[in-house]
Amino acid sequence: MGRRLDHKDHRRELDDNRYVYAVVSRRARGLSIGVNLNPDKACNFDCPYCQVNRTTPGGPTRVEVADLAAELEDVLRRAAGDLWTAPPFDTVAPELRRVADVAFAGDGEPTTPPEFPAAAHAAREARDRLAPGIPLRLLTNATLLHKDRVRAALAEFDELWCKLDAGTEAYFSVVDGTRLPFQRILDNLLLVARERPIVVQSLFLALDGVGPDEAEIRAWAGRLSEIAAGGGRIDHVQVYTVARTPSDPRCGPLDTARLEAIVARARDAGLSAAVYA
Ligand code: SF4
């Protein structure tokens, strides 16, 4: 599903880890531990703003869950000690030397691999044992939330952060680079939000210098309203824009005033919403 909002540091590698990486996030006020279930860089979206470099080959598709669990345990243990004695973490302010979260957020859609349920369970178990109280999050594009194997595994996570970048099918197909039906995303968000509160993540950008028009933003806010009216619970809406150079040079950021105007539409719909840098 792509990036966490707070990836300012491009460094995603941690030693020789294949699945688990760590970045320090000021906004999260600590270490964000990421779990990448897509070392092969495969995604069922092709967002023009994606920051995954697909010009170089990815790794194997099969996820070795035992290796993933070992990497996560190692990082969680080290975060309590020697992680902070070596670059790049040795320069981190003392108050940020804590684990803030563990999130499935990698180089593709994390719910795609068949190993997703086993990986989620392993991560939950490691988190419970080594970092109780730290939230385990899933960042997802919501395309597969209707699948039984995915839905069953959602219970392993404390928080679901779901992507919704558009209000209309036409814009959705452009900004998320997919021919998958937009209605499936909307149905899946409602399905899950009826069972538990979700966080919605919405990225808006300028394509060839042109941002989404007001009708698109109204449609997007209308989709959020429909989820709420249908009995879905949306805890919070995160609005953000492209922060680093995307692979597609047509993409550029929206300015803060525009982002704030977009957030206002979500608030008009009665939702908690904010802009994230
Ligand atoms: S959902 Fe979009 S941004 Fe996330 S990894 Fe896939 S193509 Fe990239």
Side-chain angles (χ1 to χ4, degrees):
M1 140 80 189
R3 302 309 170 129
R4 318 186 57 183
L5 302 184
D6 43 23
H7 261 169
K8 292 283 195 268
D9 188 341
H10 295 210
R11 186 190 302 259
R12 303 195 69 209
E13 298 78 23
L14 184 65
D15 302 330
D16 294 324
N17 279 3
R18 200 186 316 170
Y19 305 106
V20 177
Y21 59 95
V23 292
V24 171
S25 161
R26 262 179 214 292
R27 189 171 67 76
R29 300 206 52 75
L31 190 74
S32 283
I33 297 177
V35 178
N36 178 15
L37 281 195
N38 311 91
D40 62 354
K41 305 185 188 178
C43 191
N44 58 359
F45 276 8
D46 186 15
C47 309
Y49 61 78
C50 186
Q51 291 170 345
V52 177
N53 178 3
R54 296 195 169 90
T55 61
T56 58
T61 296
R62 184 183 154 82
V63 177
E64 303 293 343
V65 175
D67 294 350
L68 181 154
E71 288 182 10
L72 182 56
E73 289 184 20
D74 177 60
V75 174
L76 288 170
R77 283 207 174 87
R78 287 171 56 200
D82 72 353
L83 184 76
W84 308 105
T85 62
F89 301 108
D90 55 343
T91 57
V92 171
E95 65 272 18
L96 298 181
R97 295 184 178 193
R98 55 179 282 275
V99 178
D101 66 359
V102 177
F104 278 46
D107 290 343
E109 168 52 34
T111 61
T112 305
E115 298 87 357
F116 167 69
H121 185 71
R124 173 68 177 234
E125 195 277 327
R127 189 289 307 269
D128 286 352
R129 197 158 28 85
L130 298 169
I134 301 301
L136 181 62
R137 295 182 172 131
L138 172 66
L139 276 65
T140 175
N141 65 18
T143 49
L144 302 174
L145 298 182
H146 60 294
K147 302 271 187 196
D148 288 344
R149 67 172 183 86
V150 174
R151 281 187 73 195
L154 298 183
E156 307 285 358
F157 294 89
D158 302 300
E159 297 176 17
L160 305 182
W161 291 17
C162 306
K163 178 195 284 295
L164 182 67
D165 292 340
T168 64
E169 178 104 40
Y171 193 66
F172 163 71
S173 65
V174 171
V175 291
D176 289 342
T178 180
R179 290 180 183 275
L180 290 170
F182 187 42
Q183 192 60 46
R184 185 202 287 181
I185 309 294
L186 300 172
D187 290 347
N188 282 355
L189 293 177
L190 180 59
L191 180 77
V192 173
R194 275 180 171 158
E195 294 175 353
R196 56 187 293 182
I198 61 170
V199 171
V200 171
Q201 290 192 300
S202 298
L203 185 143
F204 292 105
L205 76 167
L207 271 173
D208 292 321
V210 180
D213 63 17
E214 198 50 36
E216 186 63 35
I217 298 305
R218 268 201 301 272
W220 166 78
R223 301 302 191 181
L224 298 174
S225 292
E226 285 165 15
I227 293 169
R233 285 174 294 163
I234 299 174
D235 249 359
H236 188 61
V237 181
Q238 302 178 341
V239 171
Y240 60 118
T241 191
V242 292
R244 287 188 274 124
T245 312
S247 55
D248 188 330
R250 293 177 305 152
C251 299
L254 296 184
D255 63 31
T256 305
R258 182 67 182 130
L259 294 171
E260 290 292 353
I262 292 170
V263 157
R265 292 288 180 203
R267 292 195 186 123
D268 290 346
L271 298 166
S272 160
V275 173
Y276 290 79

